Amino acid sequence: MQEMIAAPAYGTGHPFLSAAGAAAARALMAAARPITVPRRDVIFAPEAEPEALYLLLEGSVGLSMRGKDGAPGLLEIISPGECFLMPAVILGGAWPFGAEALAQSRLLRIPLEGFHAIMAEEPQLAEASLAQMARQWRILADQLRDMKLTKASERVAHFLTGRLMPGGRVAMPEPRAAIAARLGITPESLSRVMHGLEAAGLVRLQGRRVEVPDAEALNQATRASGA
């Protein structure tokens, strides 16, 4: 169940709002509804008509599509500081992706009508929106390249180093099955790769906690390996 949160400064530091400019950011914040979404809650279903742009502040959101048999397939994991549903907001029409909270998440929901009205008045918002779509296209292109051209261990290493926090800790709030689906491998394969990296001294595993002592060494070792 999605719940509203009352907080006047909620989301003011989001990168998209900063890129949109001060005037547009104020207008977007006035139109936005802050919500919390518990883990496993559906934010919107696949093939739904877009109603809002979402800015993720905390947590993790998975974008998925349904196969012919109705089974969902995870395509991407959205991290804090990102937006999602931007192409649908711009283009309109039913969108193939659905979104589900992979961890308890805090978001800003900006209704479609308000977003378009503000964009018509604020050119910098249009520029920020185009930049966001281009960035997301690049992320999906990189993901496609990784799925087609790199080994499982390289994909895991790239994912881990992309999540690095100060001190070498890796942020992984999602279920491991979701991470495996994002990487195009089975949960069992992900576990084997992770334990292989631990045995090589490239990562440290402590329950759900993952640390990477040397990101460059991890990437170099996985590129050189045959796994």
Side-chain angles (χ1 to χ4, degrees), residues 63-67 70-76 97 181:
L63 298 184
S64 62
M65 299 176 70
R66 295 193 181 278
L74 186 69
L75 299 178
E76 184 58 283
F97 300 111

Side-chain angles (χ1 to χ4, degrees), residues 51-108:
E51 296 181 351
L53 175 71
Y54 293 87
L55 278 59
L56 182 58
L57 307 178
E58 293 181 6
S60 178
V61 171
L63 298 184
S64 62
M65 299 176 70
R66 295 193 181 278
K68 292 182 179 180
D69 59 357
L74 186 69
L75 299 178
E76 184 58 283
I77 294 176
I78 304 297
S79 299
E82 298 287 348
C83 303
F84 56 99
L85 212 57
M86 179 68 79
V89 168
I90 300 297
L91 297 175
W95 205 246
F97 300 111
E100 177 183 345
L102 301 178
Q104 179 166 302
S105 300
R106 302 198 304 158
L107 308 99
L108 281 178

Side-chain angles (χ1 to χ4, degrees), residues 31-184:
R33 180 166 68 98
I35 58 175
T36 57
V37 185
R39 178 181 170 184
R40 297 184 179 175
D41 263 27
V42 173
I43 301 169
F44 58 85
E47 306 298 338
E49 292 280 343
E51 296 181 351
L53 175 71
Y54 293 87
L55 278 59
L56 182 58
L57 307 178
E58 293 181 6
S60 178
V61 171
L63 298 184
S64 62
M65 299 176 70
R66 295 193 181 278
K68 292 182 179 180
D69 59 357
L74 186 69
L75 299 178
E76 184 58 283
I77 294 176
I78 304 297
S79 299
E82 298 287 348
C83 303
F84 56 99
L85 212 57
M86 179 68 79
V89 168
I90 300 297
L91 297 175
W95 205 246
F97 300 111
E100 177 183 345
L102 301 178
Q104 179 166 302
S105 300
R106 302 198 304 158
L107 308 99
L108 281 178
R109 183 183 187 277
I110 304 172
L112 191 69
E113 297 81 3
F115 183 85
H116 284 165
I118 297 165
M119 180 182 286
E121 299 292 331
E122 299 292 341
Q124 192 170 342
L125 175 57
E127 293 176 8
S129 300
L130 289 173
Q132 180 68 210
M133 285 198 295
R135 184 174 180 278
Q136 291 177 349
W137 180 89
R138 176 58 189 267
I139 290 171
L140 290 174
D142 287 345
Q143 180 182 344
L144 180 61
R145 177 202 59 198
D146 287 348
M147 298 284 282
K148 294 287 188 179
L149 302 175
T150 65
K151 307 181 293 290
S153 59
E154 288 183 83
R155 278 178 256 158
V156 173
H158 186 256
F159 182 84
L160 295 177
T161 54
R163 293 289 193 89
L164 274 180
M165 301 171 66
R169 184 181 176 189
V170 179
M172 296 178 68
E174 306 87 0
R176 294 298 171 86
I179 294 172
R182 160 63 178 80
L183 296 173

